[in-house]
């Protein structure tokens, strides 16, 4: 099939970017979206042009590295990651608009590649638990109620891709933050740092320049891991508890 | 945002319910308006409870508008480059209209207070010191009723999203069931308040209240 691609091109962070149009022929519906971009890049390289820069790593939907705004939807029209999106979701003759995540906290490095270091700094500000290194503790020594374990596991599937920020009209990272806070807060190992975690992550979130959540719900619809909105309620609840404890 | 919003919700519920007194006729309505100023007497001087409420509402308004402006400013600086193409998939229209809807309500509030409280403007030129007659004279004019109905639509939308959003902000919706309940409550309050407020202007215009 044949598609028309409108892609954001920007040589580096300092230079202003613009949309460029490319016609691509010979696309198979079995190709993944990123393979389609690989084909485009081979064409561009053959013509001596600069290939389109985009992020990817596992191409299995588990690492969170990929992420493109495709026709106005984060990760495109299916509930999955960009790498797991296939060209069968498009038709012959389609026009496909491809942009990077738009958030000032995720500055564009080049073309479609953005710097998501803000997420790493939020994790450093509280998204961890402290354990002693050395021999692993006996797993059965810390019982976890089944429902808590299920909730923790479900939200631990967040891969930190940033689609929630990209889709949010406020540019808020509350779904990502809520996923981490719920994941660690549901488990016994997460309790000692529960208060400082939420306070640290929220202050870092705000300092990075993400917007405030108004519970619009675009994030959860874009999330490839279907993290539910209740993690944001949990985040607010934990924040209130921490503030009550004098943090 | 949530705390000041809930103060408004309680207030509009009470206000809407009070307005329905118009269906009981001239004397009952005016007595109710007068009674609002004498509640608590002689413990409280004339009109004091009303003033306590007004101060509470003014504080809530300042907090609410200030927080709304802060959220608006943060959202704008969080995405200074807009998408060429952006679809909204899951969000309700009311959730995306909180800001402009809020501004609409604020403008309406100024109009409404000028109309009935501070300015007491009778656009039919009749008397202004009789609350019931002022009400009837106002809503007999079709475009006045229309302005109020439009404002109630904006208020209903604001309540539809605001109720659920406040529950979420307060950390009350930690599972799918409570989330559904909060959204249902948003619908109920929106229909109850906007619908209840709309009854009086509609029935005045229809000539039932006169
Ligand atoms: C006076 C003009 C008003 C303005 C400018 C305004 C503006 C806003 C804005 C921008 C939000 C944003 C947050 C969100 O999307 O959740 C909001 C939330 C809210 N508003 Fe208003 N609003 C006004 C009046 C009212 C009134 C009269 C009520 C009650 C009937 C109300 C109840 C609420 C509630 C409950 C929330 C949700 C709070 C939360 O998310 O924590 N607002 N308002
Ligand atoms: S919450 Fe979902 S959309 Fe947001 S970073 Fe995690 S996996 Fe990506
Ligand atoms: S490349 Fe790893 S999730 Fe897409």
């Amino acid at each position: 099939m044949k598609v028309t691609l409108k892609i954001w091109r920007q040589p580096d962070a300092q230079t202003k970017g613009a949309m460029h149009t490319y016609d691509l022929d010979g696309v198979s519906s079995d190709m993944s979206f990123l393979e389609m971009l690989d084909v485009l890049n081979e064409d561009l390289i053959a013509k001596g042009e600069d290939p389109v820069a985009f992020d990817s790593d596992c191409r299995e939907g588990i690492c969170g590295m990929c992420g493109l705004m495709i026709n106005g939807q984060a990760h495109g029209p299916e509930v999955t990651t960009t790498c797991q999106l296939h060209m069968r979701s498009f038709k012959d003759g389609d026009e496909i608009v491809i942009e990077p995540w738009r958030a000032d906290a995720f500055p564009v490095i080049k073309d479609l590649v953005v710097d998501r270091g803000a997420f790493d700094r939020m994790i450093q500000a509280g998204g961890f638990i402290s354990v002693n290194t050395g021999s692993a503790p006996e797993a059965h020594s810390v019982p976890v109620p089944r429902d808590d374990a299920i909730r923790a596991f479900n939200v631990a599937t967040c891969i930190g891709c940033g689609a929630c920020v990209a889709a949010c009209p406020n540019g808020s990272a509350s779904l990502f933050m809520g996923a981490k806070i719920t994941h660690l807060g549901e488990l016994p190992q997460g309790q000692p740092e529960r208060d400082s975690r939420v306070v640290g992550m929220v202050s870092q979130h705000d300092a990075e320049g993400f917007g405030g959540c108004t519970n619009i719900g675009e994030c959860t619809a874009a999330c490839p891991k279907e993290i539910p909105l209740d993690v944001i309620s949990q985040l607010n609840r934990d924040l209130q508890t921490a503030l009550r404890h004098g943090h | 945002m949530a705390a000041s919003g809930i103060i408004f919700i309680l207030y509009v519920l009470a206000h809407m319910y009070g307005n329905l007194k118009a269906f009981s006729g001239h004397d009952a309505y005016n007595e109710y308006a007068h009674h609002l100023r004498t509640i608590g007497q002689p413990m409280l001087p004339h009109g004091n409870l009303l003033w306590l409420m007004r101060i509470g509402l003014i504080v809530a308004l300042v907090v609410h508008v200030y927080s709304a402006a802060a959220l608006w400013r943060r959202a704008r600086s969080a995405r200074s480059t807009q998408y060429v193409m952006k679809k909204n998939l899951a969000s309700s229209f009311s959730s995306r209209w909180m800001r402009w809807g809020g501004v609409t309500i604020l403008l309406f509030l100024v109009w409404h207070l000028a109309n009935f409280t501070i300015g007491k403007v009778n656009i039919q030129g009749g008397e202004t010191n009789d609350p019931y007659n002022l009400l009837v004279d106002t809503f007999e004019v079709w475009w006045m009723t229309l302005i109020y109905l439009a404002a109630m639509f904006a208020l209903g939308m604001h309540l539809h999203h605001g109720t659920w959003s406040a529950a979420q902000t307060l950390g009350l919706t930690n599972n799918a069931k409570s989330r559904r309940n909060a959204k249902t409550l948003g619908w109920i309050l929106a229909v109850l308040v906007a619908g209840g407020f709309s009854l009086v202007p509609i029935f005045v215009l229809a000539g039932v209240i006169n």
Side-chain angles (χ1 to χ4, degrees), chain A residues 3 8 14 50-51 57-58 63 88-89 92 105 111 148 155 163 166-167 175 185 202 211 216:
Chain A
V3 289
W8 180 262
Q14 284 73 40
D50 197 22
D57 191 1
C58 69
C63 76
R88 54 179 164 269
S89 300
D92 185 41
D111 296 338
D148 297 359
V155 298
L175 196 69
V202 169
I216 284 181

Side-chain angles (χ1 to χ4, degrees), chain A residues 8 10 99 102-104, chain B residues 76-84:
Chain A
W8 180 262
Q10 182 175 342
E99 296 174 79
R102 290 281 181 218
D104 289 30
Chain B
R76 283 176 55 141
S77 60
R79 181 171 296 132
S80 54
T81 311
Q82 297 303 313
Y83 288 109
V84 172

